[in-house]
Amino acid sequence: DQQFPPFSKRCTEAFHAGLGAPFIFISMVPALVALAALADTANDAGRPVSASTVAQTYTLPRAQMMNIFKDLQRAGLVRSSRGAQGGYRLTESPDKIGLLRVIEAIEGPVRLAVCCEDEGDEPCTSCSVIDRCPVTAGTRRLNELMNEFLSRITSSVRLFF
């Protein structure tokens, strides 16, 4: 069973392996699977959708799909019910669920570069070149713009659900 680590952990591992800070959309398969699962959930007329059924639909291991639904539930995007008629349902209308929330539920915070993961105005304390880095402020602004854009993409723009 392959587990998907949070996005920031993958970035940190790549960074420490000398690969630099990877761009955000290189490995977002789990988030895409989550979008497909949410689309199935949204399109099933309010009936609960089982993780097993969604896993079969997309030929994924059941355990992997259950982990994705657990992450979506932890983020408040779906709720679960047990029993023979159990499964997962959306907690709100699909047009209120922004793409950013889905990605963050599965991957963690959306950031362009590892050096700019910290929130707020304080510079990263773990960066050894932050005091002379010319791109930190610009990268933080790009992060803000990217997050604003992703939060505006919902089913109301007919991309996913």
Side-chain angles (χ1 to χ4, degrees), residues 58-75:
Y58 300 106
T59 61
L60 295 169
R62 180 179 175 271
Q64 185 178 2
M65 193 73 253
M66 289 186 71
N67 286 335
I68 287 173
F69 270 118
K70 283 180 194 173
D71 289 341
L72 294 172
Q73 185 174 3
R74 200 173 301 119

Side-chain angles (χ1 to χ4, degrees), residues 4-65:
F4 295 112
F7 177 74
S8 58
K9 182 177 178 189
R10 279 200 310 272
C11 278
T12 302
E13 289 168 354
F15 184 76
H16 289 298
L19 303 175
F23 285 98
I24 183 163
F25 293 109
I26 288 176
S27 176
M28 294 194 53
V29 172
L32 293 174
V33 171
L35 283 170
L38 287 174
D40 283 2
T41 305
N43 291 325
D44 210 25
R47 292 185 304 270
V49 175
S50 76
S52 297
T53 301
V54 176
Q56 271 186 327
T57 300
Y58 300 106
T59 61
L60 295 169
R62 180 179 175 271
Q64 185 178 2
M65 193 73 253

Side-chain angles (χ1 to χ4, degrees), residues 63-124:
Q64 185 178 2
M65 193 73 253
M66 289 186 71
N67 286 335
I68 287 173
F69 270 118
K70 283 180 194 173
D71 289 341
L72 294 172
Q73 185 174 3
R74 200 173 301 119
L77 298 172
V78 298
R79 69 176 180 275
S80 67
S81 56
R82 295 178 181 242
Q85 301 301 315
Y88 294 89
R89 290 184 176 99
L90 294 178
T91 57
E92 55 193 299
S93 170
D95 62 341
K96 295 187 191 285
I97 299 174
L99 180 57
L100 179 66
R101 287 177 60 199
V102 178
I103 294 171
E104 287 184 336
I106 304 300
E107 302 287 345
V110 175
R111 300 288 181 262
L112 182 63
V114 175
C115 68
C116 293
E117 257 187 42
D118 294 342
E119 295 289 332
D121 296 327
E122 292 298 315
C124 307

